[in-house]
Structures are given as structure tokens and as C-alpha cells.
Amino acid sequence: MTTEERTGLRRFLSRLTATDSELDAEELQRDSAKCGAVPAGECRRGQVVSVSGRLRTVAYTPRTNLPTLEADLYDGSDVVTLVFLGRRSIAGIEPGRQLTARGRIAIRDDRKVIYNPYYELEAPR
């Protein structure tokens, strides 16, 4: 058996034994790499990045003086929270939606955050 055949067999067996969430994470990482985005797991504070993935949660957070809409973007490697200041809702920003967001990474409560990112929604699949 050649090395290439062993690698193919190993890949096949790992896909058979992988959970749905692991397969989903692999697919998201491939899609993210295709569009040239930086993996969320490699993003550092202060870095201007483009991240691509799927929105897991979207929550409106009423604040005393400034409402915010927060959305967790998962790309298969890590989560980046997108914070839209002064917004109660945004058409198309909903759980399960694919998008690419661009902005500067900040750290809040040990979480990666992008405030008021530029974003592009991808067509629903």
C-alpha cells in the first residue's frame, strides 16, 4: 500500500468516526480559507482582519444609554463576537446565516470582538 493510499484511507476512516459538529467545523474552515479570510483562532488583539463563517447566536442587549446587537460568528476554529452599537436589529443578521465580516479585533471579557464591522451576507444555502 502506498503512502497516498494510506493517507486516503486514514482520511476516509476519520470522516466515518467524526461527529457532525467536527465535520461542520471542517467544512466551515475550508469555506473560510477559500474566501481568503483569517481563521478566528489565529486573530490577535489590534489586528485588522476579515473573518468568514456562520452566525451561531444573535442577541439584542438593551443598555441604559446605547442598545447593541451582538452576533457570534463561528468559522470552525473559534468564535468572534460582532457588536453592532446603536442597533436593535439588522435585516439578514440571524442565526445560521453565512457572512464575512471585516474590522479590528478587540478583546472583551476574554472574548474576541469586532465593533461595528463591515459585513457581507452570503446567499442562503
Side-chain angles (χ1 to χ4, degrees), residues 51-53 93 97-102 117-123:
V51 290
S52 182
I93 301 293
R97 194 70 190 262
Q98 295 275 134
L99 67 83
T100 300
R102 188 168 42 94
Y118 295 101
Y119 65 94
E120 292 178 22
L121 297 171
E122 295 180 18

Side-chain angles (χ1 to χ4, degrees), residues 52-81:
S52 182
R54 184 177 302 129
L55 294 177
R56 279 187 163 174
T57 61
V58 177
Y60 167 64
T61 310
R63 309 258 180 194
T64 323
N65 49 350
L66 185 65
T68 61
L69 184 67
E70 297 186 9
D72 286 341
L73 180 73
Y74 179 65
D75 75 343
S77 67
D78 201 359
V79 174
V80 174
T81 302

Side-chain angles (χ1 to χ4, degrees), residues 6-50:
R6 267 189 242 140
T7 304
L9 181 61
R10 194 172 294 136
R11 190 177 319 121
F12 174 74
L13 290 174
S14 69
R15 291 189 63 77
L16 279 179
T17 59
T19 64
D20 287 342
S21 61
E22 290 171 334
L23 293 174
D24 189 43
E26 286 178 17
E27 181 183 351
L28 285 170
Q29 288 175 7
R30 275 194 306 274
D31 291 347
S32 179
K34 279 182 196 173
C35 71
V38 175
E42 296 177 14
C43 295
R44 300 290 171 249
R45 189 177 123 239
Q47 188 179 19
V48 176
V49 297
S50 181

